[in-house]
Amino acid sequence: MNPPTDVKISPGRLGEYIVSWSSNCTQKDNISYQLDYRYLDTITEESWKSRTVKIHQKELDLEFHRGLFAKVKLLGNDEHNSNIPDYWTEKIFDPPRDLFASINNLSCIFYDNNYMNCTWDINKETPQGAQYFLSYRQTNEDTVTNCTNYHKDGQRNVACYGHKYEIDSIDEVNICVSESSNKTTLPFCRKMHPAGFYKLYTPINVTINENTDEVKWKLPKGNVNSSCYIYEIKITNRSNRGSIQNVENLTGGKYVISRDQKKKYSVQVRGKVVFECYESIFWSDWSKPLIIEPNSTGLSVLTIAILVTVIFVVIVLLLVFICTKCKLLSKICQPVPDPKEKFKDLFEDCNGDFQKWINKNPLLMTKTEDCIPASVKEV
């Protein structure tokens, strides 16, 4: 029985290639074919994938720009043809790079609320006037969806931003960028599960209980079950030179930190989806730093008020003691003389009438005395 021959490959739907072969086998009943393949940039045994078909071809969603090593052989399906020789027909497909759209590093991130961002790098040797467009097709589906919102670098599209997609995150999808300058150019495609490139929104409401040092946070409402999340908390000691950082892995939405109460810290949190729920390669962005100031070593307001009161009372008592001891009060607070004691006739005879009192007591000396000059002899 002759093995398959003439293995070849041809484009199919977006991101799809048809691997076909010829066969001289005259028996068709109870005969099938095994197709094994891997990319040229992977050489491990685990990188091989296998498909079994009854016909002479198989449609595969491929990142064909990576090149393909394919091999096909006959399989028997019952005891009468179980002794078919294990003959493989092998073929290496190593297409030239200029056969595809002249971009590299096509990557996509999928967010809550079914939004995605995809970016790519344009090669230096790209043709003048070339434009790039992103499209995607879900595996085993015919419908092709085009990006609705591009980001440009000059005149060329270099990203698809904020596109609303309608894909189940666990389904495989072919995302391709086509080049408009050459209709024969094949699209540059990536095959991915959106769940593996899912990025959570940044955690919010990061708070700390200063009595227990327990930090809590929340995630914005998303489409993933809360049990699918893991977190990292970054604790930075800002009081030390170099800002020493400590990162811990967590499974819940709270954590009790260990800190020196006399030092300043900042706390940030990020999250991602765990392996059990189609683990993503992307962490969310770090939350805004929560600044934790050192605990105050000063006195409380109540304590300060009590101390001020005590000091005031002590000062007053001390002043009273000094005044009493040195009789300062009696010296400072002399009584005002009573004029009645000095001028009895003014008040007793004249009722305080100063003019009457003056008239009653004329000056004894009315004659003006001559002034006799005198000389003083210096000693």
Side-chain angles (χ1 to χ4, degrees), residues 26 34 60 63 66 100 115 120 149 194 200 210 236 246 276 288:
T26 57
Q34 179 178 336
L60 302 174
E63 298 176 0
R66 299 168 60 183
F100 302 90
Y115 281 96
W120 55 88
N149 189 28
L200 297 175
E210 294 187 359
T236 304
N246 181 35
E276 291 79 3
K288 292 182 179 179

Side-chain angles (χ1 to χ4, degrees), residues 103-109 116-122 134 151 157-161 175 177 188 190:
I103 69 159
N104 280 312
N105 301 326
L106 172 60
S107 62
C108 295
I109 302 177
M116 75 177 189
N117 290 342
C118 295
T119 61
W120 55 88
D121 296 331
I122 299 177
L134 183 138
H151 178 72
N157 298 332
V158 294
C160 174
Y161 270 12
I175 299 180
V177 174
F188 185 98
R190 289 283 310 276

Side-chain angles (χ1 to χ4, degrees), residues 122 129-133 150-158 180:
I122 299 177
Q131 185 58 282
Y132 301 91
F133 301 96
Y150 288 100
H151 178 72
K152 296 180 181 292
D153 182 6
Q155 298 297 321
R156 290 173 173 162
N157 298 332
V158 294
S180 63

Side-chain angles (χ1 to χ4, degrees), residues 343 345-346 350 353-362:
F343 305 96
D345 52 348
L346 170 65
C350 301
D353 188 341
F354 186 74
Q355 186 63 45
K356 184 177 180 181
W357 179 72
I358 289 295
N359 294 334
K360 184 179 179 181
N361 296 280

Side-chain angles (χ1 to χ4, degrees), residues 114 136 138 145 163-168:
N114 288 14
Y136 59 89
Q138 196 167 331
T145 305
H163 175 77
K164 182 80 172 180
Y165 68 90
E166 300 295 338
I167 307 171
D168 194 311

Side-chain angles (χ1 to χ4, degrees), residues 220-323:
K221 185 177 180 180
N223 298 326
V224 181
N225 190 296
S226 59
S227 63
C228 294
Y229 301 140
I230 60 172
Y231 303 94
E232 281 187 348
I233 184 169
K234 180 167 63 177
I235 306 163
T236 304
N237 185 343
R238 293 179 175 266
S239 297
N240 292 341
R241 182 177 298 178
S243 298
I244 300 175
Q245 295 182 348
N246 181 35
V247 178
E248 298 286 345
N249 293 317
L250 311 170
T251 56
K254 58 185 178 180
Y255 180 71
V256 177
I257 66 173
S258 177
R259 66 184 178 107
D260 186 336
Q261 302 288 332
K262 298 180 181 179
K263 295 183 178 180
K264 181 179 180 180
Y265 292 84
S266 68
V267 175
Q268 293 175 277
V269 184
R270 67 178 183 177
K272 77 169 184 175
V273 182
V274 296
F275 173 76
E276 291 79 3
C277 301
Y278 295 92
E279 183 177 15
S280 173
I281 67 172
F282 293 116
W283 286 91
S284 73
D285 294 331
W286 287 105
S287 63
K288 292 182 179 179
L290 171 66
I291 304 300
I292 305 173
E293 299 291 345
N295 288 354
S296 176
T297 56
L299 302 175
S300 66
V301 175
L302 179 60
T303 304
I304 293 174
I306 294 174
L307 284 177
V308 170
T309 304
V310 171
I311 292 172
F312 177 77
V313 171
V314 169
I315 292 174
V316 170
L317 293 176
L318 183 60
L319 290 174
V320 171
F321 173 78
I322 293 173
C323 291

